[in-house]
Amino acid sequence: MSRHDGLPPRLVVFVGGFDPRGARHYYRLFAEHAVLQGKVDGREYAVGPRRPLDVGSHRHAQWTFSGEAGGGDYVFFDWSDAVRAHWPRSWWRVTAQACKTYATVLKDWRVLRPIRRQTPNTLLAFAYPLLYICLAVMLAMGGFALGWRWSEALPSWVRWMPPSAIFAAALWGSAALDKRLNVSWLLRIFNFAAHSAQRDGAVLAQRTLAMADWIQARSERQPGLEVVVVGFSVGSVQALHLVDALRQRLPTQPTAVGQAPAAVTLLTLGNCIPLFTLMRQAQALRATLQAVAADSRVFWADVSSPGDSVSFGMCDLLPLAMRGAPAPAQAYANPRHMCSPRFHKLFEPQTYRRMRRNKMRMHFQYLMASEKQGAYNFFAMLAAPGAVRTFVEKYLVR
């Protein structure tokens, strides 16, 4: 790879998940784990300072990164303000919204059958918050009934107080336990998926189009630039919209390493796309997915672990996301590869068992350092001396 006007030859645009924490948090995560991964790999991953990046009317962030032989610019596509706008602080409000979301999905329950067949752990992750809510209500009501029975000797005007206190304590305890189990985190994601479907389009359309214009201008100024869009978790959906805009703007041109023409590389990590296309109203997203899948100028690889129960790993993504069998497979160029990061190979058994018990920790592993060297390495992949797609095909494709 060669530089042009002093600019790095690779541009990585990272779209994070449904997380109210913004660029500061993700920069710190990137920088800290680059150091940790460097110790495991016996090499240095250098991370430059975080700088503001104004694109259109919104501020994003950027920094540089490099390894021994490669690197580039890293742009953090910031949509944390939109997340915060859909992040109720009240556990009760989240739960009330979730009841509506579950009702919407369960009206069309047949669409859950393919998920049960292909990714049963993900279906369990979808169901367990509902079970948690039902259990919390049942325990509270059971406590109220017991309290009412125990207080039967009390005067009628105070008899309701003990059972009401037990009822309130049971619900408060359920809300407190949620902080350890991350139930409301999942519920917020489900609620946002339902909201996005009702909007029937990209939630961040203007911001996405502005970023696509900025990338196009950068590519025209820097021929041979490798553009890599990384969509993590729920960010895989927003990344899909960004790539759809990019593929209509970027000319087909050979990459710097002389590979087949590719306008843009899309890398989805821990993807949640079928969760969002699950809603009947999400026609626009399904159309976007179909367009990106059919465009051979896009190189799309998905890296999602079957052990990550809040993503759709190693599944038949298109039929699952399209609510049924799409057109014949030969009509689609993407995803080129569905890969597993094989997290169990990157950690000692006891460490991996602890990770599996914490859904959020497991889900974030795509962006974090490992204990042992292995095929999946977020930092080595982005700092690879050749194209990112070459790294994926060499180390991750089985």
Side-chain angles (χ1 to χ4, degrees):
M1 287 188 175
S2 60
R3 290 177 176 264
H4 181 84
D5 292 337
L7 296 172
R10 176 175 299 144
L11 175 64
V12 175
V13 181
F14 175 82
V15 187
F18 192 72
D19 192 338
R21 299 169 295 187
R24 179 182 300 178
H25 169 79
Y26 279 90
Y27 173 76
R28 184 170 63 248
L29 182 74
F30 188 96
E32 289 178 356
H33 283 268
V35 173
L36 294 174
Q37 190 65 58
K39 292 177 180 178
V40 173
D41 297 346
R43 67 181 68 171
E44 180 183 1
Y45 297 108
V47 181
R50 176 170 60 94
R51 308 185 309 277
L53 174 66
D54 293 322
V55 177
S57 61
H58 192 75
R59 172 159 291 188
H60 304 276
Q62 65 178 338
W63 55 87
T64 59
F65 66 94
S66 62
E68 291 183 344
D73 281 336
Y74 192 99
V75 171
F76 179 85
F77 182 93
D78 197 343
W79 64 297
S80 58
D81 59 319
V83 174
R84 288 190 292 271
H86 296 88
W87 191 276
R89 291 186 177 274
S90 168
W91 190 81
W92 316 110
R93 185 179 171 192
V94 172
T95 302
Q97 290 179 356
C99 290
K100 296 180 182 178
T101 300
Y102 278 113
T104 299
V105 174
L106 293 177
K107 285 180 183 176
D108 201 14
W109 59 270
R110 289 179 181 83
V111 300
L112 299 176
R113 287 175 174 173
I115 298 177
R116 179 178 60 82
R117 289 193 297 266
Q118 293 197 44
T119 57
N121 287 340
T122 304
L123 184 60
L124 181 61
F126 179 80
Y128 111 85
L130 177 61
L131 297 175
Y132 184 87
I133 293 171
C134 292
L135 182 61
V137 173
M138 289 172 61
L139 287 174
M141 293 178 65
F144 183 91
L146 287 174
W148 185 259
R149 183 175 180 180
W150 291 338
S151 60
E152 60 184 357
L154 296 176
S156 58
W157 65 276
V158 295
R159 187 182 179 186
W160 61 271
M161 294 182 181
S164 297
I166 295 173
F167 182 87
L171 291 181
W172 180 87
S174 299
L177 184 60
D178 165 63
K179 295 179 180 179
R180 294 180 57 88
L181 299 180
N182 298 312
V183 175
S184 62
W185 170 57
L186 294 174
L187 293 178
R188 287 182 173 97
I189 292 175
F190 300 158
N191 292 338
F192 182 70
H195 171 82
S196 299
Q198 291 164 5
R199 289 283 301 274
D200 195 26
V203 173
L204 304 167
Q206 290 186 342
R207 197 174 305 184
T208 299
L209 294 177
M211 179 59 74
D213 289 339
W214 182 85
I215 296 172
Q216 179 188 19
R218 169 74 181 265
S219 298
E220 291 173 350
R221 191 168 77 251
Q222 187 180 355
L225 175 70
E226 181 189 8
V227 178
V228 181
V229 177
V230 179
F232 166 62
S233 185
V234 174
S236 58
V237 176
Q238 303 301 335
L240 200 64
H241 287 298
L242 177 56
V243 169
D244 185 46
L246 279 173
R247 71 182 185 82
Q248 301 175 55
R249 287 166 169 75
L250 296 180
T252 302
Q253 58 185 10
T255 65
V257 291
Q259 294 182 335
V264 61
T265 294
L266 171 61
L267 186 64
T268 48
L269 309 177
N271 92 82
C272 296
I273 293 170
L275 174 64
F276 281 69
T277 59
L278 185 68
M279 311 296 172
R280 183 178 294 276
Q281 304 95 323
Q283 294 97 336
L285 176 57
R286 287 192 289 273
T288 297
L289 172 63
Q290 196 165 12
V292 172
D295 195 334
S296 60
R297 296 175 303 159
V298 176
F299 178 89
W300 176 12
D302 179 75
V303 183
S304 301
S305 172
D308 173 17
S309 61
V310 293
S311 73
F312 292 81
M314 300 300 290
C315 64
D316 198 356
L317 183 61
L318 287 186
L320 197 63
M322 297 297 292
R323 292 174 59 96
Q330 59 266 29
Y332 292 94
N334 290 295
R336 305 291 179 97
H337 305 291
M338 298 292 292
C339 310
S340 171
R342 305 181 76 188
F343 288 148
H344 63 287
K345 296 285 188 180
L346 304 179
F347 294 90
E348 298 297 337
Q350 60 272 21
T351 305
Y352 184 70
R353 283 194 295 269
R354 286 197 301 271
M355 284 175 52
R356 288 292 302 269
R357 290 194 291 267
N358 187 328
K359 293 183 184 299
M360 183 177 288
R361 173 64 183 83
M362 184 75 174
H363 193 52
F364 270 82
Q365 182 52 45
Y366 302 97
L367 312 180
M368 300 171 73
S370 60
E371 279 187 343
K372 301 190 293 186
Q373 288 183 311
Y376 181 79
N377 186 322
F378 183 62
F379 303 94
M381 177 169 59
L382 297 185
V388 168
R389 62 181 292 182
T390 302
F391 182 98
V392 169
E393 293 180 326
K394 181 177 181 179
Y395 295 106
L396 296 177
V397 175
R398 294 288 186 270

